[in-house]
Amino acid sequence: MRPAAGGRDSVCAALFSSFSTQRAGRVAPSSHPSRLNMAGSQLLSVVILLVVCSVRVSGEVVNFADSVQFTVREECAGGGMQLVRVRKTEPIVPRTVATLVHGVWQPAEDYKHRIHHVSASSVKLSELDFNDDAFYEFTCNNDLIRTIQLTVVFPYDVRVSEGETARIPCHLPSEELQGKSAQFERDGELVLEQNRSSGQPEGRLSVSLDWVQTGDLSLTVEDAQLEDGGSYVCYTVDGNGEKTRGKPAAVKVTVQRNRPAPTDAPQQPTPGPDREQTGPGLIVSIILNVLLLTAAVTFCALWRASVRRGRRAGGAETVPLEGRPDGVIS
């Protein structure tokens, strides 16, 4: 995943805005216990705000039910590294997600089936749901060293058959597109970058030429192939490299196969009337034909010989001999 739009500045601005809104609806604290508690809660919010904005904040935007990998580059002397979840809204109650024990991440009870050790500086959280939408803090001996803003989104679903044209929606207000370039990523890899002067890109991927005027950054994928499937996100990028994610936040593309996959084993050709047969079958067929022909010829010869003998025997009894008018044989 790549850093989300705004980074630390956006996170801090949102927190300051939330704090200012809360302050606007409250009266000044007095000696009343409830108001003292309210003042204490505000003071705690200020402290959290200052701490969060004093460390490096990055962002991850991940699809619902997917997994995310948290990584920290700083080392923790003494082995007191923890990953802590902090809600984005009140009540802001930190909850331990995992603890690094002897170089291996051990999950907390609520996360024992979803935390997976990657390395001493990296841990994976799987099967994300909307409750995981929060800030995640790496701490070293209770000192904050990194904060990650995790945003869980439900992806828009696009399904096409192989060879068809896929349209991947992405929209932003036209006012937010002035002077910016547009980028599309698939599974975290850049697949298309477009700006006002780049013209129509070559290949199967394209964006409408009037995307700045219409606010329509939808990506068109012609002749969709199986490798075009994946999770797509679109951004606009300003001159400072700050990214703004379009809507919908993520699009899941599935390309369905529309023809049978080729098999590794070669298929045997089916002999036809015009195809010559070869092999042991041909030899056996020839032998059988010769035997049948021989038997037929032999049978015919024996039958004809039998008929001739019968005719000769009958002729000797009925035909009279010459010179014997009575036909008696002496």
Side-chain angles (χ1 to χ4, degrees):
M1 295 295 174
R2 302 195 176 186
R8 180 177 61 185
D9 295 339
S10 297
V11 173
C12 294
L15 290 174
F16 274 119
S17 176
S18 175
F19 176 72
S20 300
T21 302
Q22 295 171 8
R23 289 285 298 170
R26 294 176 178 174
V27 296
S30 66
S31 59
H32 193 278
S34 62
R35 293 182 177 178
L36 288 176
N37 292 336
M38 186 180 301
S41 175
Q42 292 178 353
L43 180 60
L44 178 61
S45 300
V46 172
V47 172
I48 293 176
L49 177 63
L50 293 176
V51 170
V52 169
C53 294
S54 64
V55 298
R56 186 165 59 93
V57 177
S58 60
E60 302 281 359
V61 180
V62 187
N63 292 338
F64 181 87
D66 281 355
S67 60
V68 62
Q69 183 169 316
F70 299 119
T71 301
V72 60
R73 295 182 178 86
E74 295 81 355
E75 296 183 357
C76 180
M81 181 83 75
Q82 283 189 325
L83 179 64
V84 179
R85 171 182 174 272
V86 179
R87 286 170 47 89
K88 295 180 180 179
T89 57
E90 292 187 354
I92 303 176
V93 180
R95 175 183 295 181
T96 301
V97 176
T99 303
L100 188 64
V101 180
H102 302 300
V104 178
W105 287 100
Q106 301 294 335
E109 181 65 22
D110 294 340
Y111 293 88
K112 61 181 180 180
H113 298 301
R114 299 199 294 136
I115 283 292
H116 309 278
H117 171 82
V118 179
S119 68
S121 59
S122 187
V123 61
K124 180 182 290 185
L125 177 62
S126 64
E127 301 175 16
L128 295 177
D129 57 39
F130 290 114
N131 291 323
D132 297 319
D133 192 286
F135 293 105
Y136 289 82
E137 302 174 346
F138 279 103
T139 63
C140 176
N141 299 319
N142 296 324
D143 292 332
L144 181 62
I145 57 178
R146 188 186 180 193
T147 298
I148 302 169
Q149 181 185 9
L150 175 62
T151 302
V152 180
V153 298
F154 196 84
Y156 188 91
D157 195 23
V158 172
R159 294 178 179 269
V160 295
S161 297
E162 193 176 14
E164 293 181 346
T165 298
R167 181 175 173 82
I168 304 171
C170 179
H171 300 272
L172 275 171
S174 297
E175 294 79 11
E176 299 181 14
L177 302 179
Q178 303 298 325
K180 297 181 180 181
S181 62
Q183 293 183 354
F184 261 94
E185 296 178 0
R186 181 183 65 238
D187 296 333
E189 296 184 3
L190 181 66
V191 295
L192 181 68
E193 183 171 9
Q194 183 85 355
N195 55 52
R196 300 190 66 175
S197 60
S198 59
Q200 189 72 13
E202 298 180 357
R204 298 185 298 111
L205 308 183
S206 63
V207 176
S208 175
L209 291 177
D210 59 352
W211 59 275
V212 175
Q213 291 78 14
T214 62
D216 185 358
L217 288 75
S218 299
L219 179 67
T220 299
V221 181
E222 298 180 356
D223 188 22
Q225 303 298 312
L226 296 179
E227 58 268 22
D228 294 323
S231 295
Y232 286 76
V233 294
C234 73
Y235 300 94
T236 59
V237 185
D238 63 15
N240 298 323
E242 292 291 336
K243 293 184 176 181
T244 302
R245 182 179 287 253
K247 296 179 180 180
V251 179
K252 184 177 181 180
V253 177
T254 302
V255 180
Q256 300 172 334
R257 188 186 299 274
N258 59 4
R259 57 178 179 268
T263 57
D264 296 334
Q267 297 183 357
Q268 297 295 334
T270 302
D274 58 343
R275 188 184 296 269
E276 182 180 359
Q277 301 183 18
T278 59
L282 178 61
I283 298 175
V284 173
S285 177
I286 292 175
I287 293 174
L288 291 176
N289 289 331
V290 170
L291 292 177
L292 291 174
L293 181 61
T294 302
V297 171
T298 303
F299 175 80
C300 290
L302 293 175
W303 181 78
R304 294 184 65 181
S306 176
V307 170
R308 288 176 181 175
R309 285 197 300 270
R311 288 179 178 177
R312 289 175 182 175
E317 296 178 353
T318 58
V319 179
L321 296 175
E322 293 182 0
R324 299 296 298 271
D326 54 357
V328 178
I329 299 176
S330 59

